[in-house]
Amino acid sequence: MKKADIFEFYRRLAELNPGPETELEFGNIYQLLVAVVLSAQATDVGVNKATRRLFQEVKTPQEMVALGEEGLRQHIRTIGLFNAKAKNVIALSEILVRDFGGEVPADRDTLVELPGVGRKTANVVMNCAFGAETFAVDTHIFRVGNRTGLAPGKTVLAVERKLDKETPQPFRVGAHHWLILHGRYICKARTPECWRCPVEDLCRYKPKTPTPGAKKAKKAAGS
């Protein structure tokens, strides 16, 4: 995608949603970190459902350690891989208490060293909590980047680096939110809704998905 088209691509998404935010619910940076760890291979809706009561009870890593692994498991049993995630959340909470005074460090390399925190999770926390210009590439962004031609790449890291290189100001902080939401609600995996896409003319994907019912109407008209 050409530079002018990339700028216009983001401009349109920004115009439709000037203040994009994560759909995960949280009250502070620590809760954000926990929510993102829990969201791996799970939906934001499912995580929010599980964490609403949890986050009323637990607001700090100290309180999470006090809750304990079994107590945490009871809260998040509806989330996939909850046993492993509970173990990681307790472990990372213990490290935050022991090494960081209970605070979440504002450093991606440090975050990645925490149990259960990969590069994507660290990028989300850096962006949402600290306003860093990071690009958290999940399955939605990977698909949108490749399908549209915005940031083609064979690996998640390749797409992230392409986005980092090509995304211009003033869109860098909000970029990953716009792309996730676009992939989640319009540029869907199985059937992208090209007929209502605001960047359809800039996208390299072919063939475009027609308006629902258009095929049947065309077929009926030809018969």
Side-chain angles (χ1 to χ4, degrees):
M1 195 179 289
K2 296 177 182 178
K3 285 189 176 182
D5 288 344
I6 292 174
F7 188 94
E8 179 63 12
F9 185 101
Y10 282 119
R11 189 199 67 76
R12 293 183 194 177
L13 297 183
E15 185 176 48
L16 291 171
N17 184 6
E21 297 179 346
T22 177
E23 293 187 322
L24 289 170
E25 298 173 2
F26 61 95
N28 58 39
I29 297 174
Y30 171 69
Q31 289 181 339
L32 168 65
L33 173 61
V34 172
V36 181
V37 169
L38 295 178
S39 72
Q41 299 182 50
T43 66
D44 288 0
V45 172
V47 172
N48 290 339
K49 186 176 179 180
T51 58
R52 282 184 190 123
R53 275 189 60 189
L54 173 66
F55 287 165
Q56 288 176 2
E57 184 178 343
V58 175
K59 296 179 174 60
T60 67
Q62 291 89 340
E63 291 174 342
M64 186 69 78
V65 173
L67 177 65
E69 191 173 326
E70 178 55 32
L72 177 56
R73 277 201 296 265
Q74 295 306 313
H75 279 281
I76 65 171
R77 292 181 71 86
T78 56
I79 300 176
L81 307 175
F82 70 91
N83 282 318
K85 290 177 180 178
K87 185 176 182 179
N88 284 332
V89 168
I90 294 300
L92 73 83
S93 299
E94 290 173 341
I95 292 171
L96 292 179
V97 172
R98 185 188 70 216
D99 298 341
F100 300 97
E103 299 295 324
V104 176
D107 178 78
R108 182 170 62 186
D109 292 339
T110 303
L111 287 170
V112 170
E113 295 299 316
L114 295 173
V117 179
R119 186 178 179 89
K120 185 190 78 173
T121 296
N123 279 337
V124 172
V125 173
M126 290 301 300
N127 180 271
C128 296
F130 304 112
E133 296 175 356
T134 53
F135 303 85
V137 180
D138 67 352
T139 55
H140 295 300
I141 292 184
F142 185 79
R143 179 175 66 256
V144 170
N146 278 285
R147 181 182 278 168
T148 63
L150 176 69
K154 293 183 178 180
T155 67
V156 166
L157 186 57
V159 171
E160 180 188 332
R161 287 174 173 167
K162 186 74 172 177
L163 286 171
D164 193 17
K165 180 182 178 182
E166 301 295 340
T167 301
Q169 295 291 6
F171 309 115
R172 292 179 61 81
V173 173
H176 99 262
H177 293 297
W178 286 312
L179 297 177
I180 286 174
L181 294 172
H182 188 64
R184 186 173 289 165
Y185 297 111
I186 296 178
C187 196
K188 300 175 182 179
R190 292 187 178 180
T191 309
E193 298 182 1
C194 304
W195 51 274
R196 67 182 191 94
C197 175
V199 291
E200 179 266 346
D201 59 309
L202 303 173
C203 172
R204 301 297 184 261
Y205 177 70
K206 302 202 183 286
K208 307 296 186 187
T209 307
T211 303
K215 282 186 178 180
K216 289 183 179 180
K218 186 176 180 181
K219 202 171 185 180
S223 60

